[in-house]
């Protein structure tokens, strides 16, 4: 599984955000690489990103697709660090010149999860009472849930996972919608009250997977990083990212996906929804796993023909206006 490298004493610097989840993910990647390449020294260097610093504004209103990645990318281009570990859902589909997505690790459960206040421990998403306050910072989740549960009240929530859960427990929210993968990675899987089925909420592009980004000309490092890539996750995420790229949507646009692989067959489902949940287009396409990126492009075109572009144009206009 390991690759032959030209310098057994090389020190490789890993860039990470400072958040608890980011560090857990980064040190997991470091451990996997260290196990495969015991003669290489892997160092972790932390940085704060714009997304970590702006905690009082809804993500959608900031309008920046690289909120959690730009500073790390600058660090790579300036050779301050050699590669960065990202939650793949935060990584823009178009990378800066000179950088590449070198590897994608095995995916945790990509689904969204319902976490409830104690008083609603006997409820599910479809049995919460009218007016129940649901916290989410994701337009994708917001749009899909508004479409199916218009009787619920939705409120933006920011901060790290512990901060959000503290707000829930204090009664500021009746429930939160969070990524199941993040809760599981932080050892908080017991807080998951319900894993939302794909019929309720299609997940974010790349959700649950880690993306490892590095300089495109560092061939030796790319060969090292490939040692921890998970081919099936890679193919699923390449289809998802191609779909998102084709629709020119950022991480804060109501676009959801679901991918499955059976043998050589890849199934991609995508949804585009208006923020109010009133308009929603959804479809599925099946193809050969080797054509993952082409499948994403084809599905994007199909949804455009069904009205997705009109929905997105309205959303992009509202974002530009700062609505």
């Amino acid at each position: 599984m390991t690759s032959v490298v030209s310098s057994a004493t090389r020190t490789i610097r890993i860039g990470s955000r400072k958040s608890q989840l980011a560090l857990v993910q980064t040190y997991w990647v470091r451990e996997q690489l260290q196990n495969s390449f015991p003669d290489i020294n892997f160092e972790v260097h932390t940085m704060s990103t714009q997304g970590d610093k702006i905690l009082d504004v809804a993500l959608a209103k900031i309008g920046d697709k690289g909120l959690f990645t730009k500073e790390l990318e600058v660090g790579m281009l300036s050779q301050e660090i050699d590669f960065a570990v990202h939650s793949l859902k935060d990584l823009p589909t178009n990378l800066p010149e000179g950088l590449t997505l070198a590897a994608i690790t095995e995916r945790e459960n990509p689904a969204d999860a319902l976490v409830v206040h104690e008083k609603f421990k006997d409820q599910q998403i479809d049995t919460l009472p009218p007016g129940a306050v649901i916290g989410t910072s994701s337009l994708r989740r917001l749009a899909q849930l508004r479409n199916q549960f218009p009787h619920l009240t939705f409120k933006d929530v920011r901060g790290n996972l512990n901060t959000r859960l503290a707000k829930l427990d204090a009664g500021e929210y009746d429930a939160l919608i969070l990524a199941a993968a993040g809760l599981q990675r932080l050892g908080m899987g017991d807080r998951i009250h319900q894993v939302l089925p794909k019929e309720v909420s299609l997940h974010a592009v790349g959700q649950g997977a880690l993306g490892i980004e590095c300089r495109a000309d560092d061939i030796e490092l790319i060969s090292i990083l490939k040692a921890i890539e998970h081919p099936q996750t890679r193919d699923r995420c390449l289809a998802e990212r191609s779909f998102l790229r084709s629709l020119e949507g950022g991480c804060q646009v109501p676009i959801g996906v679901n991918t499955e692989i059976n043998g050589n067959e890849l199934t991609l489902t995508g949804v585009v929804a208006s923020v109010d949940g009133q308009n929603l287009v959804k479809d599925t396409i099946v193809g050969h796993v080797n054509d993952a990126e082409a499948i994403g492009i084809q599905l994007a075109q199909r949804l455009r023909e069904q009205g997705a572009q009109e929905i997105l144009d309205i959303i992009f206009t509202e974002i530009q206006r700062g609505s």
Side-chain angles (χ1 to χ4, degrees):
M1 180 178 177
T2 59
S3 303
V4 176
V5 295
S6 60
S7 175
T9 58
R10 178 175 180 180
T11 294
I12 295 177
R13 299 156 299 174
I14 311 171
S16 173
R17 293 168 56 200
K18 294 181 178 179
S19 75
Q20 182 185 8
L21 178 58
L23 287 171
V24 166
Q25 294 174 165
T26 298
Y27 277 101
W28 179 86
V29 167
R30 180 184 181 276
E31 181 182 10
Q32 305 311 303
L33 289 170
Q34 197 70 76
N35 289 340
S36 295
F37 302 95
D39 294 328
I40 297 178
N41 181 35
F42 295 94
E43 296 179 348
V44 174
H45 296 250
T46 60
M47 299 180 179
S48 293
T49 67
Q50 185 182 14
D52 296 311
K53 298 172 184 175
I54 304 176
L55 297 175
D56 57 349
V57 180
L59 291 176
K61 293 186 177 181
I62 303 173
D64 190 329
K65 298 179 185 178
L67 280 174
F68 299 105
T69 61
K70 277 189 176 179
E71 286 80 358
L72 293 166
E73 290 174 335
V74 169
M76 283 181 279
L77 291 171
S78 66
Q79 301 197 25
E80 182 180 349
I81 57 175
D82 295 305
F83 74 87
V85 178
H86 306 289
S87 291
L88 188 57
K89 68 182 179 64
D90 293 332
L91 187 64
T93 55
N94 292 306
L95 303 182
E97 184 177 354
L99 298 179
T100 188
L101 178 56
I104 299 174
T105 67
E106 185 170 6
R107 190 173 221 167
E108 289 274 4
N109 186 347
D112 291 327
L114 176 72
V115 181
V116 299
H117 188 276
E118 175 68 15
K119 64 184 176 182
F120 289 122
K121 63 181 180 179
D122 297 324
Q123 305 298 319
Q124 300 281 288
I125 186 69
D126 57 348
T127 61
L128 287 169
V133 178
I134 314 300
T136 177
S137 60
S138 163
L139 291 185
R140 171 189 57 80
R141 294 170 181 151
L142 178 65
Q144 292 183 87
L145 295 177
R146 275 179 170 167
N147 178 265
Q148 298 198 49
F149 309 109
H151 61 284
L152 299 178
T153 298
F154 296 92
K155 181 180 174 183
D156 191 65
V157 57
R158 291 293 313 280
N160 61 37
L161 203 51
N162 287 322
T163 298
R164 297 184 193 195
L165 291 172
K167 291 179 178 180
L168 171 68
D169 294 337
E172 293 183 39
Y173 302 86
D174 296 318
L176 300 176
I177 307 296
L178 301 167
L183 289 162
Q184 291 167 340
R185 286 191 176 116
L186 287 178
M188 299 179 182
D190 60 327
R191 293 300 305 260
I192 297 176
H193 186 70
Q194 178 189 10
V195 174
L196 299 185
K198 61 184 180 182
E199 292 77 20
V200 170
S201 181
L202 294 186
H203 59 76
V205 166
Q207 187 160 304
L210 303 181
I212 304 179
E213 185 183 20
C214 72
R215 290 183 293 276
D217 62 358
D218 196 337
I219 305 304
E220 179 182 295
L221 177 56
I222 291 172
S223 72
I224 291 171
L225 297 174
K226 287 295 183 187
I228 62 170
E229 181 160 75
H230 187 252
Q232 191 175 83
T233 300
R234 175 198 63 210
D235 293 338
R236 291 171 64 190
C237 291
L238 288 179
E240 295 172 13
R241 286 173 63 81
S242 174
F243 171 67
L244 180 60
R245 186 186 302 113
S246 298
L247 290 172
E248 299 181 342
C251 61
Q252 281 302 306
V253 174
I255 294 175
V257 293
N258 184 76
T259 46
E260 297 175 2
I261 292 180
N262 293 300
N264 290 324
E265 186 177 87
L266 188 152
T267 301
L268 173 64
T269 299
V271 65
V272 176
S274 60
V275 178
D276 62 10
Q278 295 297 307
N279 298 310
L280 182 149
V281 293
K282 184 178 181 179
D283 210 336
T284 298
I285 192 168
V286 180
H288 195 281
V289 68
N290 291 342
D291 300 322
E293 293 194 88
I295 291 170
I297 294 170
Q298 292 168 21
L299 182 59
Q301 183 57 38
R302 187 179 293 183
L303 290 189
R304 273 203 190 91
E305 293 168 357
Q306 297 175 23
Q309 194 60 55
E310 288 79 0
I311 294 173
L312 291 172
D313 287 344
I314 292 172
I315 293 170
F316 293 146
T317 300
E318 289 176 348
I319 290 174
Q320 289 171 358
R321 290 174 179 169
S323 301

